[in-house]
Amino acid sequence: MFESLTSSLDSIFRKLRGYGRLTESNIREAMREVRMALLEADVNYEVARDFIAKVSERCVGQEVLESITPGQQVIKRVHDELVLLLGGRQSHRLELNPRPAPVMLVGLHGSGKTTTASKLAALWKKDRLNVLLVGADIRRPAAVEQLGVLAQQVGVDLLAPEKGETVPALGRRAMDLAEAKGRDVVLFDTGGRFQIDEELVQELKDLREAVKCRNTVLVVDAAIGQESIHVAGVFHKALELRGLILTKLDGDARGGAALSIQSVTGCPILYTGVGERAGDLEPFYPERMASRILGMGDIVSLVEKVQESVDLDQAAGLEKRMFSNRLDLEDFLAQLGQLRKMGPLENILGMMPMGGQIKAKMKDAAGAGQNFTRFAKRAEAIIRSMTPKERRHPDILNASRKRRIAAGSGTQVQDVNELLKQFDQARQMAKQLSGMQKRLRHRR
Ligand SMILES: Nc1nc2c(ncn2[C@@H]2O[C@H](COP(=O)(O)OP(=O)(O)OP(=O)(O)O)[C@@H](O)[C@H]2O)c(=O)[nH]1
Ligand SMILES: [Mg+2]
């Protein structure tokens, strides 16, 4: 969501790096441009003004002007200030002791509470926490059902309200049950409204009292822009939030809200929602986000993502086969599967240094991501329609085999040929790489 901010900052910084020496007026000019870029990204006016004042103050000293890399020095100061703006260097986390720890997700209608509840449950489950999900949205009849479906998908138990049960009574029952069963976290999905109103706040306060919850978390939709800051302020005042979860950061909002919300409300961002799937929730780290916004990439998150999705044994085997020139369509299939497990291509690009530029070149990154997904699905279907022997030895594929495979995968012979061509290119590339590696080894 920060694409255009990242690309404006990138061109400002490129200009700065170009100067051998910087004068105060160069810096002032750059700061004016940074301020414009922030405002265009929908950053709160006062936040942008304070930000620029602070960075400028730290940039005008001798240290920057006399450094051999003045441009880099300015960028570093922008980065440091951005980290502070996003919440500073300490990481804000939920307090999950003593156990069982109640956690309440609150927020406006449609902000993503129910989806986020299942994502959080999945995340905690992976950390070996024993989670109980509670459907405490008793007003909308389908709400508990929706949570039930999601809970089943991520394999976490759900407690549903009984007929006529009030929210606080349900809360107490959930805590008793969790205590008895040795659960670690009890996660409440609550009901939302279009507007924050007395009745909603009272219901949430009653639940909080009943379960003695110290982790009330606001789920807020980043797509509503500056309004999200207002919403967060009001909820924080009424319910003493522990923190925020900002959803729909994968959308096309300009991101200013994400940049301003912590500094305006004093309420830290804990996680961000970056898609609709169970895995699309990321712990929020101000430092990593700042690097991503400045186009430096977020290598740490990227590596974590790769570690999570890639089967290392499989990767080692692949590398060996690749360098011994024995790549086949089984490998191709495995690779496609792993790439797809890492999530949408555009999310991954956003974490890579220069990824922003690649994305811009791809004109429409979302389109490219979808194209890739479509390509990968078709390729998988085609390869799965082959016999093991055909996968290992694609050279035996004659016209009649191709016709059979096309029919089996619901594609055309032309698609099969296209895939074989792409595979051949990949194999050629592997050959060149392995040649290069051998020469390098030889030289050493
Ligand atoms: N793209 C995207 N969509 C999301 C994200 N989080 C939630 N959604 C979608 O937003 C819509 C609303 O999400 P819900 O979880 O039902 O919202 P809610 O706050 O529980 O809504 P109510 O229960 O009606 O108050 C759903 O279609 C979700 O798939 C996200 O991070 N990215
Ligand atoms: Mg809901």
Side-chain angles (χ1 to χ4, degrees), residues 77-90:
R77 281 159 175 76
V78 172
H79 179 265
D80 291 351
E81 204 54 48
L82 201 52
V83 173
L84 288 179
L85 185 65
L86 289 165
R89 289 194 190 272
Q90 81 270 41

Side-chain angles (χ1 to χ4, degrees), residues 375-428:
F375 159 77
K377 273 194 189 144
R378 198 166 51 202
E380 280 179 26
I382 293 174
I383 301 176
R384 284 189 201 289
S385 298
M386 297 178 183
T387 64
K389 190 173 170 200
E390 287 165 345
R391 293 182 201 173
R392 290 280 172 220
H393 308 281
D395 303 331
I396 64 172
L397 289 172
N398 56 19
S400 83
R401 283 178 192 261
K402 284 180 191 167
R403 268 198 303 277
R404 192 206 77 235
I405 292 164
S409 56
T411 60
Q412 308 290 325
V413 170
Q414 198 186 327
D415 297 320
V416 178
N417 283 330
E418 180 68 14
L419 172 77
L420 290 172
K421 205 170 89 195
Q422 272 153 341
F423 169 66
D424 216 46
Q425 283 167 355
R427 201 154 50 168
Q428 288 299 330

